[in-house]
Amino acid sequence: MLVSLDTPYVDTCAADLSLALGGPERPALHVRDLTLPGDVRLRLRLLGASHQVVLTDSLGGDGLTETVACLPGRPPHLPGSLHDEAGGYRFTATVLRPAAGELHARIAALRADLAADPYALVGVFPGDPDAVTALAVRTDPPDGSVGWRTWHAYPQTNELVLTETVVALR
């Protein structure tokens, strides 16, 4: 699902992002609720130049809230990887600085790929077609898990932040 947002893009960069697990749902510009097989529920939330994913399931687990954003009161830190084997949570993040013109090509391809995806949410901000935050649920996670990918494009700094999360279901 492609969403044109009327809120101006937050002037930030990848270095300002943090990862937070748990915590409240933050104010969102757009929300997409999905129900996956096994009554797994995901709420994809666009928070401006950031995202939040809320996971719940029919098994009565505690669920999970993942936020990647500029978080007040928290120093910026986006880990390259975080693996909590006991909790069944795996997160990776990569910051790319594409060659001149490549960011535009990548974002155009991403928008085209995810525009009609029933498990995706793409927010396009006014003023720059490359100012995008996108989330997509993986349709091929390992058995007994759920996963998602995100893209945060910062055209003003020529940065593209890619994240991938896999969570084992209990």
Side-chain angles (χ1 to χ4, degrees), residues 84-89 167-168 170:
D84 175 4
E85 296 302 327
Y89 178 82
V167 180
R170 308 211 177 244

Side-chain angles (χ1 to χ4, degrees), residues 104-132:
H104 177 74
R106 290 183 82 136
I107 296 306
L110 175 71
R111 289 176 59 173
D113 288 347
L114 298 181
D117 185 333
Y119 298 106
L121 177 58
V122 180
V124 181
F125 295 86
D128 192 329
D130 297 334
V132 167

Side-chain angles (χ1 to χ4, degrees), residues 76-101:
H77 175 67
L78 187 63
S81 66
L82 176 63
H83 300 239
D84 175 4
E85 296 302 327
Y89 178 82
R90 298 176 65 87
F91 173 88
T92 58
T94 305
V95 179
L96 303 176
R97 291 171 184 83

Side-chain angles (χ1 to χ4, degrees), residues 12 51 109 159:
T12 189
H51 82 265
E159 294 174 301

Side-chain angles (χ1 to χ4, degrees), residues 36-38 40 42 55 88 90 119 136-149 164-169:
L36 306 176
V40 174
L42 283 173
L55 166 68
R90 298 176 65 87
Y119 298 106
V137 176
R138 287 184 54 186
T139 57
D140 64 344
D143 286 341
S145 66
V146 64
W148 55 88
R149 294 180 176 132
E164 185 168 3
T165 302
V166 176
V167 180
L169 299 173

Side-chain angles (χ1 to χ4, degrees), residues 44-102:
L44 307 179
R45 302 170 51 78
L46 290 175
L47 308 179
S50 53
H51 82 265
Q52 188 172 57
V53 176
V54 180
L55 166 68
T56 58
D57 64 58
S58 64
L59 303 176
D62 292 335
L64 174 92
T65 300
E66 173 190 275
T67 305
V68 172
C70 301
L71 298 168
R74 178 180 282 239
H77 175 67
L78 187 63
S81 66
L82 176 63
H83 300 239
D84 175 4
E85 296 302 327
Y89 178 82
R90 298 176 65 87
F91 173 88
T92 58
T94 305
V95 179
L96 303 176
R97 291 171 184 83
E102 188 180 323

